[in-house]
Amino acid sequence: MPKIRQRTDQRIILELCLPHVVNGLDIFCPAPCFLDKTRGWKVVWKMLMLTSLQTTAKLTLRTRVNERSFRLKTIVNSGSEDLSKMNFDISDEQKLVLDEVDRACRELRPLEDQAYLAGKFNDHLIPIFKKAQLLGLPISRRYGEGQGADILTYALALERIGREGTGVRTFLSGHVSLGQLTVQKWGNEDQKQRYLPQATRGEKVMCFGLTEPTAGSDPTSLRTSFEDKGTHYLLNGSKAWISNGSISDISVIFAYPKGKHDAMCAFIVEKGFEGYSAQQQKHKLGMPTSDTGSIFLDNCRVPKENLLGSLGKGLGVAYSGLMSGRLSVAAGCLGVIEDCITEAVNYSKQRIQHGKPIGKHQLVQRHLGIMSTNLEAAKNLVYKAALLKQRSDEQPEDKEIRERADILIAQAKYFASNASFDAADRTVQIFGSSGYSFETRAPRHLVDTRVCRIYEGTDEIMVQKIAVNLLGQDFEAYR
């Protein structure tokens, strides 16, 4: 699968985009150069050592550069200390993946429109994404139709999918980000072989069962419990507001030992297990095409081999799953903003008031300018968070990188979700009375994206995490 091209050196480098040969450069280059034939001949030096007779270094180019282009760039690796400057060149292979995502989304849109207005789950979503092999995009190729995409490639795919609606993206967040990625990270090989191939092929739907009626932002207050019965575990309790909850075949369920509130454990629970049942949550504010359900565990028998991760380490499993889920929310929100901008711009050009298109009115232009600026700011946060998350996954023992990724993902999720809600609100305002009907796209985004400021970590929890990172752990509100 494609990889984002990024360089490890933090110094200023010179990239000359020359068609054939580079001559006459008075540059000392201790590191070898490389040629990238997929994007034309590019000669890139990892480090330039420039000599000067004065305090300011000077670069002499003994070549005719007036007919050729060159530019200075600062490029850093995602694992570097400074993530303020990055190069997000997209490879040709990545573009092929995103083209396939775009094709699937175009096929899905009219069917999603119909399902949304009918207020029901879109039954065409799984078959269309299955055909495009998107149901296991970041999962290893060893498991079914996993595509082995890196985290940023997956985030870019979710960004495009987000344009089709938060309900569409939420299905993938539950099925892939929270479900499959959690099993891939924490499961043993037997568990991965049993569950991931079916999930990547769309034969089984997955969900993540953490939230309960009385336990939302505080997962330590879970009431679901388990007992060790020797040959199996016995689970009792309920889960609420679970994405894909009533249609899921495989659930990642979290529970405490009976009578205790420490040593949380995670389990892989199949809907066919004795004592398992689920029910759809109705009358939601938005996302009618996304399934939300409650799960009930009444003496649910779970085989010993379905313990996910180590005994008593379930809270770590939960937190790692939430990191993946939050990043998926943030990435999808980028797509929401993009769709709102597209709708707002088109309408502003066509709608005539006071004898001219409303796009000529400065207050309408203000809405567009703010949305566009917020989009670019959100993209920078999300892409950086994705790269650092990839780095964290590659170095799971590095606590510092993991904590940095956690904070950056929280910042990305907080900013992107608020920016998407703001973009939807501004687009509704631009549409006026037409924006008050679900026949147009903006009001759907408005009610749907509101949940992005609640699930996978509320605005308040995200801001609190960010602030405590600055102040220190002694300032945690719930210590």
Side-chain angles (χ1 to χ4, degrees):
M1 287 300 294
K3 295 288 185 182
I4 290 298
R5 295 189 179 120
Q6 56 211 56
R7 312 293 176 252
T8 59
D9 194 76
Q10 297 185 50
R11 295 177 176 84
I12 296 294
I13 67 171
L14 181 69
E15 175 179 302
L16 288 116
C17 304
L18 305 181
H20 298 294
V21 181
V22 178
N23 291 317
L25 297 179
D26 188 14
I27 298 170
F28 173 61
C29 181
C33 63
F34 68 89
L35 295 177
D36 180 357
K37 296 182 180 179
T38 63
R39 292 187 168 273
W41 293 100
K42 292 184 180 179
V43 182
V44 181
W45 281 268
K46 292 181 180 177
M47 181 167 57
L48 297 179
M49 295 181 63
L50 310 177
T51 59
S52 176
L53 297 176
Q54 302 176 355
T55 56
T56 303
K58 296 181 180 180
L59 171 64
T60 302
L61 300 179
R62 295 175 183 169
T63 187
R64 298 174 63 184
V65 296
N66 57 317
E67 296 178 359
R68 296 168 172 85
S69 63
F70 67 90
R71 52 201 171 104
L72 290 175
K73 303 170 93 175
T74 301
I75 304 175
V76 299
N77 182 273
S78 60
S80 302
E81 290 301 317
D82 182 12
L83 287 173
S84 63
K85 301 186 181 87
M86 279 197 170
N87 177 35
F88 297 115
D89 289 339
I90 297 177
S91 69
D92 293 337
E93 296 91 344
Q94 226 168 355
K95 187 176 185 302
L96 290 175
V97 173
L98 297 178
D99 285 346
E100 183 62 22
V101 175
D102 182 69
R103 185 207 61 76
C105 288
R106 290 178 183 275
E107 181 181 353
L108 181 69
R109 176 166 290 197
L111 301 169
E112 179 69 11
D113 288 343
Q114 295 173 13
Y116 196 102
L117 295 177
K120 64 179 184 179
F121 180 79
N122 185 358
D123 294 327
H124 299 279
L125 187 154
I126 295 176
I128 289 175
F129 281 2
K130 170 183 169 61
K131 181 173 64 175
Q133 296 185 318
L134 300 179
L135 296 177
L137 192 56
I139 303 303
S140 170
R141 292 177 180 272
R142 292 180 296 167
Y143 308 113
E145 293 186 3
Q147 300 300 303
D150 59 17
I151 299 300
L152 182 52
T153 303
Y154 179 49
L156 291 169
L158 290 174
E159 176 182 340
R160 175 60 187 90
I161 291 167
R163 297 185 202 174
E164 306 313 310
T166 298
V168 178
R169 192 270 310 149
T170 295
F171 171 81
L172 287 176
S173 290
H175 181 60
V176 181
S177 301
L178 292 165
Q180 294 180 55
L181 283 176
T182 302
V183 172
Q184 179 171 256
K185 181 178 178 66
W186 296 95
N188 57 44
E189 191 58 29
D190 173 68
Q191 291 169 338
K192 294 176 187 178
Q193 292 290 351
R194 277 193 289 142
Y195 294 112
L196 292 181
Q198 299 177 86
T200 60
R201 290 193 293 262
E203 297 166 0
K204 303 287 185 180
V205 174
M206 293 194 68
C207 74
F208 187 83
L210 180 63
T211 301
E212 296 184 0
T214 59
S217 295
D218 179 14
T220 62
S221 62
L222 297 185
R223 295 184 178 180
T224 298
S225 65
F226 72 90
E227 297 178 74
D228 188 339
K229 293 297 185 180
T231 58
H232 63 275
Y233 295 104
L234 209 60
L235 272 63
N236 281 281
S238 63
K239 303 294 178 178
W241 300 104
I242 307 301
S243 297
N244 303 339
S246 74
I247 63 172
S248 179
D249 303 288
I250 306 164
S251 306
V252 177
I253 298 292
F254 298 88
Y256 281 116
K258 186 175 182 180
K260 299 182 178 180
H261 275 87
D262 59 3
M264 180 190 292
C265 289
F267 305 89
I268 302 175
V269 181
E270 300 178 26
K271 73 173 184 180
F273 286 173
E274 179 184 339
Y276 179 99
S277 62
Q279 177 180 303
Q280 185 181 31
Q281 174 69 48
K282 299 181 179 180
H283 311 303
K284 299 180 296 183
L285 174 64
M287 294 202 308
T289 62
S290 173
D291 179 79
T292 307
S294 298
I295 295 173
F296 305 99
L297 305 162
D298 184 11
N299 288 327
C300 182
R301 294 171 60 94
V302 179
K304 277 293 186 71
E305 59 267 26
N306 278 41
L307 175 70
L308 182 62
S310 301
L311 192 67
K313 301 298 183 180
L315 193 58
V317 177
Y319 283 153
S320 74
L322 288 173
M323 283 179 65
S324 296
R326 288 167 183 167
L327 184 57
S328 72
V329 173
C333 285
L334 298 181
V336 172
I337 302 171
E338 290 166 355
D339 194 52
C340 286
I341 290 175
T342 298
E343 294 291 307
V345 168
N346 290 339
Y347 191 78
S348 297
K349 291 178 178 179
Q350 298 169 4
R351 176 68 168 172
I352 305 297
Q353 289 291 282
H354 305 290
K356 58 184 177 182
I358 62 172
K360 290 189 174 183
H361 294 292
Q362 290 180 334
L363 291 180
V364 172
Q365 293 174 358
R366 180 176 183 272
H367 288 310
L368 297 175
I370 290 173
M371 285 191 283
S372 178
T373 302
N374 284 345
L375 174 61
E376 292 308 310
K379 279 186 176 182
N380 191 48
L381 276 171
V382 173
Y383 296 170
K384 285 165 61 177
L387 287 173
L388 194 55
K389 178 64 165 61
Q390 179 72 37
R391 184 74 169 178
S392 176
D393 289 347
E394 293 168 353
Q395 301 181 37
E397 302 304 319
D398 194 319
K399 183 180 178 182
E400 181 182 354
I401 292 179
R402 183 172 67 252
E403 291 176 348
R404 288 170 58 208
D406 188 24
I407 295 302
L408 193 52
I409 288 172
Q411 291 173 322
K413 197 261 185 187
Y414 170 74
F415 188 86
S417 59
N418 277 271
S420 66
F421 183 72
D422 179 76
D425 186 47
R426 291 181 185 279
T427 305
V428 167
Q429 194 68 20
I430 290 172
F431 270 68
S433 57
S434 296
Y436 204 67
S437 169
F438 286 136
E439 295 286 341
T440 58
R441 299 183 59 77
R444 302 180 204 170
H445 286 312
L446 183 65
V447 296
D448 290 356
T449 200
R450 184 62 181 85
V451 75
C452 297
R453 296 171 55 195
I454 299 173
Y455 64 6
E456 317 308 338
T458 65
D459 278 358
E460 292 76 14
I461 292 296
M462 295 299 95
V463 171
Q464 195 265 347
K465 282 177 65 70
I466 297 164
V468 169
N469 181 62
L470 299 172
L471 295 167
Q473 297 301 313
D474 290 340
F475 284 82
E476 283 188 352
Y478 38 80
R479 265 186 179 270

